[in-house]
Every structure is written in structure tokens, then in C-alpha cells.
Amino acid sequence: MTPRPTGLSQDGDERHSHGPAGARHRIELCRDTSCQAMGGDRLADHVRKKLGCEFHAHSRDGVFVLQPVDCLGLCTRSPGMLIDGIPYGQLTPRRFDKILDYIRKASV
Ligand code: FES
């Protein structure tokens, strides 16, 4: 798959200028084709449950904001996401939890 230009969420908004403000960390979870084919829906369900929020909202604890985005150019490592602009690939629910725990501990 040829990645589309990044910078737009699924609803066409520019990623860094819209969405809830005030969270300490921004999670941009890819919802595009390659990531979906590699378990993206299951991962998205897990992420929403773990954070206690839907897309375009703050996590239950207010620390994270969760945004759906189109292809991040990480297709060969899908499913992928950015947290504060840092790319993470080959995500599984378990790997997501480990990354989240690390970020929580690092930002205390
Ligand atoms: S489809 Fe390319 S990074 Fe998700």
C-alpha cells in the first residue's frame, strides 16, 4: 500500500490543530487499511477500553487524548500509532499496554 500523505485524521481535520486540548499526551491511532488488516479493529477496541474513552476524547484520567488518523506511513510495521509524534509499530494490546505504562511512569 502506498501511504497517503499524513497529517489528516479520518474526518479530514488537520491532526495537530483539532481535537480536545489539555491532555498531557496525544495518541494518534492509525485506522487505515493496512493497520486494520493487521488487527487494528481489535487494537482500537482495546485502546478505547484501556483509556476509558472514545476517539476525539480525553482518557478517563485526563492524561491522554485519543485521535483516529489515516495512514502514518508505518504500514510495514502495522498496526501503528504516534504518541506525542513518536512512532510505534507492530502493536498488540499487550505492547500498547507496556508503552502506555512506560509513558505514565516517565511523566510522573
Ligand atoms: S495503514 Fe499505513 S500506518 Fe496504518
Side-chain angles (χ1 to χ4, degrees):
M1 173 182 175
T2 303
R4 285 178 268 171
T6 60
L8 296 177
S9 67
Q10 287 203 328
D11 57 6
D13 293 337
E14 288 185 39
R15 284 187 291 143
H16 297 289
S17 61
H18 294 279
R24 208 177 318 159
H25 301 286
R26 181 181 185 89
I27 299 173
E28 297 171 272
L29 187 65
C30 179
R31 303 293 294 133
D32 219 325
T33 309
S34 290
C35 287
Q36 293 221 2
M38 295 300 288
D41 284 340
R42 184 172 145 248
L43 178 66
D45 289 346
H46 175 80
V47 168
R48 288 185 300 225
K49 185 175 177 182
K50 179 81 177 180
L51 295 174
C53 69
E54 293 299 320
F55 286 113
H56 307 285
H58 288 95
S59 58
R60 189 180 305 113
D61 60 7
V63 174
F64 298 92
V65 64
L66 178 62
Q67 292 294 121
V69 293
D70 289 338
C71 183
L72 296 166
L74 300 169
C75 306
T76 58
R77 298 173 54 214
S78 58
M81 69 175 174
L82 300 178
I83 298 183
D84 301 332
I86 298 172
Y88 298 90
Q90 297 179 315
L91 294 171
T92 61
R94 182 182 167 126
R95 181 163 149 73
F96 176 82
D97 289 352
K98 284 184 176 182
I99 294 166
L100 208 67
D101 287 348
Y102 175 80
I103 290 172
R104 283 185 196 281
K105 288 175 185 166
S107 62
V108 171

